[in-house]
Amino acid sequence: MGQAADEGREPKAGRTPAGGRDGGGRDAEARRGGGGREAADGTAGTGGAGGAGGAGGAGGAGGAEGPRSPGVGRRRLLITGTAAVGLGVLGLATRQEIKRWWWRMPGNDKPRMEGQVDDARARWVAASEANMRRGDRPSDFGIDRVIVHVTQGTAAAAVKVFRNPAHQAAAHYIVCQDGEIIQMIRELDVAFHAANREYNERSIGIEHEGWTDRPQDFTDAMYRSSAKLTAGICSRYGFPADRKHIIGHNEVPGADHTDPGRHWDWDRYIRLVRNEMKVESTLRRR
């Protein structure tokens, strides 16, 4: 089913999500105190590395040290090296976590301008902040995919529900049947659109106006406008235009949605995206 009927926020701690968007399941983010900002309390943590004790020699009569086995030195070297690697990995993970959480400190938000868009063709209409989480992507979470949705309704209806804080779900973009693009959430922020926390954090969600069982809704203008939008996203974040990185909502792990459905022409869409990327590459070289 489409995004307009979704309530797929990330699950709160200790709460089991029920169903998908249309079934009322929510990707509820744990609320962070102060300013109403939501905390990513379920983000991947780092594991600690335990220390290793040294191996002592065998004591002889009168306290004299007995002959040391050659294997003891090798074991000590192996244990010490393993501990050092473990601490190095821990240090790297800790730095990544510090970087990831740095923007959550007061005053560390990226500068934002009202009405600013990431695609020059887009018209800005802000979604409710209850339907997204402020972020610092790709600094805190890398972006490596686009998720294609269908609204199961009109673009106007999708805009209305994405602006409703009770809906608790929204996508970054809506592409209309006439090719118009509406941006509702900045790409640097996390939109609650995939009903999967990890995929939300790593993706851009694009809704398409129409119904999955009506192939006539997927117009040429829509395909071309959406393909150009996706091509720009692929170029900005450096990931390929293929079916591993451009997927449907139905392909998200745990999703119970069917959009974009069997009438969505994936071969055509990927071809259009790649063609747009070639055009962009040519223009940049001039």
Side-chain angles (χ1 to χ4, degrees), residues 75-98:
R75 286 196 298 273
R76 179 179 296 169
L77 180 61
L78 177 61
I79 292 170
T80 303
T82 302
V85 170
L87 289 171
V89 171
L90 176 61
L92 176 61
T94 301
R95 288 195 297 273
Q96 290 172 339
E97 286 299 306
I98 291 173

Side-chain angles (χ1 to χ4, degrees), residues 2-30:
Q3 178 68 40
D6 188 5
E7 300 204 1
R9 293 179 64 189
E10 291 132 3
K12 292 183 179 178
R15 180 176 177 181
T16 303
R21 280 191 204 165
D22 302 319
R26 297 185 176 179
D27 287 352
E29 299 273 351

Side-chain angles (χ1 to χ4, degrees), residues 30-40 104 106:
R31 294 284 181 181
R32 177 182 179 211
R37 190 173 299 162
E38 298 182 338
R104 295 183 183 277

Side-chain angles (χ1 to χ4, degrees), residues 16-238:
T16 303
R21 280 191 204 165
D22 302 319
R26 297 185 176 179
D27 287 352
E29 299 273 351
R31 294 284 181 181
R32 177 182 179 211
R37 190 173 299 162
E38 298 182 338
D41 60 321
T43 52
T46 57
E65 186 177 15
R68 181 178 299 173
S69 168
V72 172
R74 287 194 294 271
R75 286 196 298 273
R76 179 179 296 169
L77 180 61
L78 177 61
I79 292 170
T80 303
T82 302
V85 170
L87 289 171
V89 171
L90 176 61
L92 176 61
T94 301
R95 288 195 297 273
Q96 290 172 339
E97 286 299 306
I98 291 173
K99 182 179 179 181
R100 177 172 293 177
W101 286 94
W102 177 87
W103 68 270
R104 295 183 183 277
M105 300 296 291
N108 287 343
D109 286 341
K110 276 190 174 180
R112 298 161 190 263
M113 294 177 58
E114 183 67 28
Q116 187 175 18
V117 294
D118 295 291
D119 187 291
R121 299 171 300 140
R123 173 169 64 91
W124 176 257
V125 180
S128 168
E129 290 196 358
N131 299 332
M132 45 79 70
R133 188 174 81 227
R134 287 172 75 92
D136 190 18
R137 301 190 309 169
S139 297
D140 52 355
F141 296 102
I143 296 172
D144 63 3
R145 68 195 63 206
V146 167
I147 299 179
V148 173
H149 302 268
V150 175
T151 60
Q152 289 299 93
T154 65
V159 168
K160 183 176 180 179
V161 296
F162 292 170
R163 290 174 61 82
N164 180 0
H167 186 60
Q168 299 188 337
H172 294 89
Y173 294 98
I174 301 171
V175 180
C176 305
Q177 291 178 356
D178 63 1
E180 181 187 11
I181 298 172
I182 302 169
Q183 183 168 4
M184 302 196 68
I185 295 173
R186 290 291 308 279
E187 290 178 5
L188 59 84
D189 293 326
V190 177
F192 302 153
H193 66 99
N196 179 305
R197 185 188 186 96
E198 179 185 359
Y199 277 66
N200 282 346
E201 290 170 341
R202 296 166 52 190
S203 68
I204 303 294
I206 304 177
E207 287 282 353
H208 296 82
E209 180 183 23
W211 284 260
T212 58
D213 59 349
R214 290 172 47 174
Q216 66 270 25
D217 288 348
F218 304 143
T219 65
D220 182 67
M222 173 187 286
Y223 272 120
R224 292 184 180 279
S225 182
S226 179
K228 188 171 183 178
L229 173 61
T230 295
I233 293 168
C234 291
S235 298
R236 276 194 290 281
Y237 303 107

Side-chain angles (χ1 to χ4, degrees), residues 238-276:
F239 60 87
D242 58 28
R243 288 288 284 114
K244 179 179 178 182
H245 298 86
I246 305 173
I247 65 173
H249 190 188
N250 61 307
E251 297 173 285
V252 175
D256 62 354
H257 289 248
T258 61
D259 57 317
R262 63 188 178 90
H263 297 300
W264 182 261
D265 191 338
W266 279 111
D267 290 339
R268 178 186 182 187
Y269 188 65
I270 296 298
R271 184 172 62 251
L272 287 170
V273 173
R274 290 173 176 170
N275 287 342
E276 286 292 342

